[in-house]
Amino acid sequence: MSSVKSALKAAKAAIDAHTFENAVDEANKALASDPKSYHAKVFLGLALDKQNQNEASEEAYKGAISIRDRDALAWQGLVALYGKQKGEKLDRYHDAALRLAEIHMEDDDRTKCQTVIDKYTGDASKYGSRSDLKRSLEALLPGTTIYGYLEGRIPQPSYTYTKVADIVEAEEKEKINSEIGQRRTRLGARLDQVTAEVKREVLENSPLEELYSNIINWTEDDELRRQYEERLLQHAADTLAALPVPKKAAKREEVMNMAQGLVILKHPFLLAWKIVLEWKDVEEIEDLDFGLLREFVDLFPGEGLSKVLRGYLHSEITPFPRIATDRKDNIDCDDEEPTVTVEDRLIVMTEGIEDASKSILAHRLMGQYYLYLDEYESAVSTARAGLKCIIAESNVAGLKFMHTYDAMNKILATALIYYQAPRHHAEARSLFEDILCRKPADASALIGIGMIYEEEEDYVNALDSLNRSLKRSEDPKIKSEAAWCRALNGDNETALHELEACLQELEDQDTKTRALRSQTLYRIGMCLWSLDTNEAARKDRNGAYSRFLASLQADMNFAPAYTSLGIYYADYARDKKRARKCFQKAFELSASEVEAAHRLAKSFASSGEWDLVEAVAQRVVDSGKVRPAPGSKKEAISWPYAALGVVQLNNQDYAKSIVSFQSALRTSPRDYHSWIGLGESYHNSGRYIAATKAFEHAQTVKDASMSDNIWFAEYMLANVKREMGEYYDAIAYYRKVLKTRPNEFGVSIALLQTLVESAWRSVELGFFGRAADSAQEAINIAQEINRIHDDAFNLWKAVGDASSIFSAVQGYESILPRKQLGSLLQERADISVFETLADIDGVSGHSLHLLSNDIDQGLWSTSLSMTVAILAQKRAVHASANNFHARAVAWYNLGWTEHRAYLCGNETLSDRSRTQSLGHVKAAVQCFKRAIELEAGNGEFWNSLGIVAAEISPRVAQHAFVRSLYLNDKNARVWTNLGTLYLLQDDTQLAQEAFTRAQSADPDYAEAWLGQALLAARSVDLIEARHLFTHAFEIADSSNTLIKQQYAFVTFDHVVSTSQKLNTTDLLQPLLALHQIRQQLPSDLASQHLLSLFAERVGNSEVAVLILESVCSILEIEYETSESLLALKRFAQTKADLARVQLARKEFILAAENAETALDLSADGDEADNCCEKVRLSAHMTAGLAYYYQGSMDQSIDMFKTALLETRGNPDIICLLAQVLWAKDGDNERQIAREQLLDCIEKHPGHIGTTTLLGCISILDDDQETLEAVTADLEILRTNDSLDTQEQGWIANLLTMIASLHLTHKHREASELFQANTTIMLAPSQPHGWSQLADLSGERVPAEVAVLTAVKAVTLGSGPEARDLCRAYAGTERLDDAQRASMIAPFMKEGWEALA
């Protein structure tokens, strides 16, 4: 025993000395001696604890406890051991700490007990989980021994319960989320089903409600108590929603009691109030507690249900007393003012229903209010949503809400009667019958079934249904509806008595029946109105009128009574002001008052208040009354859509007006005015095809009332055709209208303007004769209009434009109606009108004598047409004196006419005329200045000023163009004009930039490309210039003569300068352009001369002769008048060209004479003049050939010799001279021909004509030596790539012929085949070698290849002529190719022979 004590002392000393290993040894020694030694185990546990041997230490402490359980020392060591492990063994820590606390409690040591508990709860909170903390806190709750002993030393129970509740809330939330996440992945699981199951499992067994109750019971903080009362109710409600139906009753009672308790205390917890209000299943709204509703609104003013309640309680249909707001007693009151309008109230309630989307009461109230406002579509959607809310709330609370369900169904069924009637009548009837099964005497359901028949206009069945309803119920409302059905069925007298009897049952002061009383009084008035229809009876103020007033006195918001009063005032009292007020009030109260809306819209339209017309029509459209549902007996109305269309048309909102008129026509497809409106909308929006169809359909509407207005459709159709450029159809329609309405000035003016526009369009298209005819016809129409209306601006503008047409097609000046124009201008005219600017342009009233004098039209007609145009535009200026904008346009038109007169003066041959025309330029400047003074913001005016000022003052012109571009910098014409000005001023860089800007603004503006071409020509880039001129010509119209002139000039220059052979088709466009210029500008001799040259090249020598003879006559007169060398030179050149064309026509005598004349005229010409040299060469050649064909060989030879001398040995002339000498058939002449050819070959070794001609002569002379030399030269020449197809063919044929000389037939064929193969090898893409091979071999393949190469060459623009292509096709010996050959060249026998 002494050894144990010594060991224990040694162990205690070692522990004190912190030599824990020795302490362990000593403790073990003690235990070896006494295994039941309590202190040895304690010392061992402590020493092991200090050495961090926690498991061994725990075992030692437990061993000690097993020896002495009630001793605190071992428990203290064990608690300390668990405490230092930072939550690793909190479960054991919990048990040890509580046991230690109990030991201290038994020892009555509160301090140590509290210390243990505080230390344990602190460690649990710091290191443990939520469940560990909850377990530690539960030890402190009331009911435990610790709480009873340490009460006052530990936290209040409410605090502890709050902590535990928070932990349980977090655990339940976490469990719900984790369980949902796990179960939702199961096969076939639905999220909503899984969520409900998990919540039911968790909430059904949740301890939270008990914890919340304990918090409420133990807390002394009222705010905290209210907070946990809310939580308790919320948790109970959630649990109720999750419970199955059999278990809901007890829980629902509990929830209801808690909610009512909070409501009684007026605690502002929304859920409690909603439960009390929403779960109240009442048959009528008036059965609800009004005070409770008011308190809810006051407590929750921002809630959606509060907004709906506030609007409903202050509405006209509330069954509760209207409480007026007293600002003196309640300054902060949020009640609505009594002056709040229906619209404002509806806005507030609509916002509320959106927020309260799950509220049954909100949907019920809103549905009733929509019914009152006749907003049936909204009522239907609200009632359906309310029924869904009832089902959802029934599933939550386990209540059936039968009364509420029936009330909501009545709202739905009543709305379905009128919404898209009769589409939903079957559903409405089913709903009413279902209600009657449970409530047979329900008045609303009984009336509803009758109303279904009434809405379907089946008044017999409606009356029968309502009479059967009266057997079950004596409700005055049913009696009123039955009587009204009788009235609608035509029995007004009986209905009147029944309605009066029904009225006696309704008390005057009963607010609940005031709406029915008002309706009954109105219906009595309508019966009286229908019984006696004479004017005196309806005017009687004691009749229907008094009933309508009484109806409004009963209910100031009964809309139909206002409509009837409005009709009374409008049709019988003749008081439009009161009528308008009545219609406005009726329509404000109900959008279903279509008759009031119609009359109101007419009133607004007559006063020009189109915004109000649009508002009225749009509201009618939105009401749904415009277009009844399919199957309804009610007629659709179209006027609201038509009214909207008219307003939108006036506002230039054409897209919307089209939709409106289309909607009107779907309702009334035979509405003439809607077709007209639709056509106008299409027309103004640029959809001309659709507009045409609309106006054409309008003409098919056969209505006696519209017979006088059909002409307007034809007139508008003519306008559309005019916009589309179909002028002939437009003119025909205008004439058709004028046949029935000859005095329609607007139609006559439109016809006149269309004729003028058609004329100008014909000029652009190149139909100049048609243009002149249209202009002449326009003048005839203008004369007819002048007799009716002589002071119209458009009349004289059109006359001026029609006269200007003849200046654009001067070839038709002979049909200018001079005398007719004279009488037109002088008729009812003040001569002083023509004195405007007369001192500048020289055109005044005295100029009219030109129209009546018989003068030579060839000399005067062009300037005369412009004189007439100027006089007409002056009358237009006078006619527009009272119209500001028209006056500016009139000056603008006069300015352009003056400018055109100036241009026409420059186109004449007279210098005197050009001098006189400067006055027109000055007058044009004045006109444009006055136009700009009147309308300075018009860019076209500035542009015109710049054009006319270009020759007078370039600075002014530049300023005008820049100003125009400032107003519109996208105008291609102005940029082109500015570029032209820079070009005239020799500023090519600025001109280039201006033309480029013009092309960017409008790539199809031809004048911009013309300016670019002129710049290229100025810089001697002839190829680029030719391409640009060609492009400008291709995109230009026929009215622009300058582009056509330049295009023809550059094309001819290219033709005469190129070495390539051009096809005839390449010359057709310039030929056509020059033909048009001849008709537009007969005085342009240069263009006519060029036309004759093109005609000569295409083989039309007849036209060339006629033109050249005409030009020669004019030039001869000009030369005799002026005796200028230039005129003489032009005359000589024209004579030479005429002689050459006559030679082609085989008029040899005339050709020789004119050639001699040309030679005589050019005899004194300048030798350095290249043009004169060419003229003389042409005349010599022509004369030589003419004499040759006449048989005058000597004269022919003399001509060629002279030409040879003047041209210094031209090889082509030598060839012609050699042929003539050879043809003279003299040895000496033939020898001279040989010598000339040999000398020419020495001087011009590469000349093909000389070489081939010498070869032919050598063949005839059988000169082998010369033939060898010629053959060698030809072999060299045939390899030259510059040879054309015809020259290659000449060489090939000549070589073949030379090779076949002096050979047998067999060798000759071989030689010819060799030459053909050689030709093919040298030029495989040319058809002549293949054709030659086909002829020699007789095979089909070479012939087909010849056709292919010929066609390809034609496609590439370098192909053979028609005769060569014909031979190629004929060589294939195929029927289809033979047909092609005969079609390509019908004048060739080869095609016909192959076809035969």
Side-chain angles (χ1 to χ4, degrees), residues 49-110:
D49 180 12
K50 297 300 183 179
Q51 291 180 356
N52 293 325
Q53 297 182 27
N54 297 331
E55 296 296 330
S57 176
E58 182 180 357
E59 290 298 324
Y61 283 133
K62 285 182 177 180
I65 291 171
S66 65
I67 296 171
R68 282 195 280 178
D69 178 66
R70 300 183 60 81
D71 196 330
L73 184 61
W75 285 109
Q76 288 176 351
L78 186 59
V79 168
L81 175 64
Y82 288 144
K84 64 174 287 190
Q85 294 184 31
K86 297 183 179 180
E88 289 185 4
K89 298 179 179 181
L90 277 176
D91 291 338
R92 300 176 186 178
Y93 190 8
H94 172 77
D95 297 335
L98 291 182
R99 178 57 184 153
L100 179 61
E102 289 175 357
I103 292 172
H104 290 313
M105 184 173 60
E106 292 173 357
D107 296 338
D108 196 20
D109 191 344
R110 284 184 171 83

Side-chain angles (χ1 to χ4, degrees), residues 1324-1340:
S1325 62
Q1326 297 298 329
H1328 57 273
W1330 296 102
S1331 297
Q1332 187 179 8
L1333 181 61
D1335 293 338
L1336 293 173
S1337 64
E1339 295 180 2
R1340 193 176 215 176

Side-chain angles (χ1 to χ4, degrees), residues 898-956:
E898 296 279 7
H899 181 252
R900 190 169 189 85
Y902 162 72
L903 296 178
C904 291
N906 277 346
E907 289 166 359
T908 61
L909 296 176
S910 172
D911 292 335
R912 179 172 172 269
S913 299
R914 292 193 183 97
T915 303
Q916 291 178 339
S917 66
L918 290 176
H920 292 302
V921 177
K922 297 177 181 179
V925 171
Q926 295 299 319
C927 292
F928 290 133
K929 283 184 177 180
R930 295 189 184 184
I932 290 172
E933 290 174 359
L934 294 170
E935 193 175 339
N938 193 316
E940 293 296 329
F941 294 175
W942 287 100
N943 177 49
S944 304
L945 177 61
I947 292 173
V948 298
E951 294 188 22
I952 300 176
S953 175
R955 289 188 177 182
V956 173

Side-chain angles (χ1 to χ4, degrees), residues 609-622:
E609 299 174 81
W610 294 108
D611 292 341
L612 296 177
V613 173
E614 182 180 17
V616 171
Q618 188 61 54
R619 189 179 179 206
V620 175
V621 170
D622 295 339

Side-chain angles (χ1 to χ4, degrees), residues 1141-1204:
V1141 177
Q1142 289 171 336
L1143 176 65
R1145 290 177 53 80
K1146 299 182 181 180
E1147 298 174 358
F1148 303 124
I1149 298 175
L1150 293 175
E1153 290 177 359
N1154 285 320
E1156 292 283 1
T1157 303
L1159 289 171
D1160 293 339
L1161 292 172
S1162 61
D1164 298 332
D1166 188 0
E1167 294 183 358
D1169 190 352
N1170 187 36
C1171 180
C1172 182
E1173 180 181 348
K1174 290 181 178 180
V1175 169
R1176 292 185 61 78
L1177 175 61
S1178 175
H1180 278 113
M1181 299 287 288
T1182 302
L1185 291 174
Y1187 285 131
Y1188 170 76
Y1189 286 112
Q1190 292 181 46
S1192 303
M1193 297 298 181
D1194 294 335
Q1195 291 177 299
S1196 176
I1197 292 171
D1198 292 340
M1199 284 294 174
F1200 285 127
K1201 287 182 178 180
T1202 307
L1204 192 61

Side-chain angles (χ1 to χ4, degrees), residues 1366-1367 1369-1386 1388-1396:
C1366 173
R1367 291 192 186 99
Y1369 273 116
T1372 63
E1373 297 181 358
R1374 288 171 48 182
L1375 180 60
D1376 55 343
D1377 286 340
Q1379 292 174 339
R1380 292 187 181 94
S1382 59
M1383 289 296 295
I1384 290 172
M1388 295 290 293
K1389 65 179 182 178
E1390 286 84 350
W1392 298 106
E1393 289 175 352
L1395 188 60

